Amino acid sequence: MLKGRDLITVGIFTALYFAVNFVCMLLSGLHPYLWVFMPALDGLLAAIPFMLACAKVPKFGTVLIMGMVPSLVYFITGMFTPLILGMMICACLVAEAIRAATKYRSFAGNAVAYAVFGFGMCGSPLPLWVFHDSFVAQIASQGMGASYLATLETAANPTMLIAMFVVTFLAGLVGAYIAKGMFKKHFEKAGLV
C-alpha cells in the first residue's frame, strides 16, 4: 500500500513524466506521422521518470498514478477523447500485473511493464481508426490545415495502426534500457537487476 512518502515520490516522477509527455505531444503537432508515433516517441523519452519511480516505489499503484493523472488532465482540458482514459487504465492495470508477477524488483519486469504502459498513450491517435470520419471532421472544424489532414488520411490504414503499437512497445523497451544505462547505480541500489 502506498504511504505518504510514496505518494510524494510518485507525484514528483509523475510531474516529470507529464512534462516529457507534453513535449512529445507538442512535437507531434508538427507532422501527422509524428502524431501517430507520438506514443513511441514518448516511450523512448519518458522512460527515465517511469523507471526511477518503479525503482523507488516498488508497490502497486505507482504505474496507475503515473498513467491516470496525465490522462485525466488531458481529458478534462478537452485535448483527448474518452478513448485515452480507457486505453490508459487498461495499460496501467496490465503493467501493474506484470510488475506484481515479477515481484516489483525485476528490471526486465519493469521494462516490459513500461513498454505495455506506452499503449495507454496510443489512445491519443487511436480515434483516427476507431472514429475515423467523425474524428477527422472534428479536427478539420478546429482549424487543422488541409495538407495535415490529407497526410493524416494516408496514415489511417491498418498497417500504420499495427506499426504504431509495435513501435511503441519496442521504443518502451529501448527507453527502459537507456534509463538503466544512465542511472545504473540507482537501479542497483534499488535491487533491480
Side-chain angles (χ1 to χ4, degrees), residues 1 4 22 24 32 53 57 76 101 109 128 135 146 155 164 175 179:
M1 176 128 189
F22 190 73
C24 291
V57 186
I76 290 168
L128 180 61
F135 183 72
M164 176 184 70

Side-chain angles (χ1 to χ4, degrees), residues 114-187:
Y114 178 62
V116 169
F117 174 81
F119 292 150
M121 284 312 295
C122 290
S124 172
L126 197 57
L128 180 61
W129 290 273
V130 177
F131 312 116
H132 179 77
D133 294 340
S134 62
F135 183 72
V136 171
Q138 176 192 350
I139 60 174
S141 71
Q142 293 171 341
M144 192 59 68
S147 64
Y148 190 97
L149 290 170
T151 306
L152 201 58
E153 285 290 344
T154 64
N157 62 67
T159 303
M160 193 63 68
L161 177 63
I162 293 166
M164 176 184 70
F165 282 104
V166 170
V167 174
T168 295
F169 186 83
L170 294 175
L173 290 177
V174 170
Y177 280 91
I178 289 172
K180 183 180 183 182
M182 292 177 69
F183 294 93
K184 188 175 182 180
K185 288 182 182 178
H186 290 280
F187 291 113

Side-chain angles (χ1 to χ4, degrees), residues 64 67-76 80-93 119-124:
L64 206 51
M68 292 313 297
V69 169
S71 299
L72 285 169
V73 170
Y74 290 139
F75 177 68
I76 290 168
F80 291 137
T81 67
L83 196 52
I84 193 161
L85 295 177
M87 287 293 294
M88 189 56 82
I89 191 87
C90 290
C92 287
L93 290 173
F119 292 150
M121 284 312 295
C122 290
S124 172

Side-chain angles (χ1 to χ4, degrees), residues 2-18 49-50 52-70 96 99:
L2 294 174
K3 296 180 180 175
R5 185 175 176 181
D6 297 330
L7 290 171
I8 291 168
T9 301
V10 174
I12 291 167
F13 285 112
T14 298
L16 292 171
Y17 168 77
F18 182 71
F50 181 95
L52 287 173
C54 288
K56 293 193 178 289
V57 186
K59 298 177 182 177
F60 180 86
T62 301
V63 173
L64 206 51
I65 292 170
M66 288 193 79
M68 292 313 297
V69 169
E96 289 281 15
R99 291 181 69 231

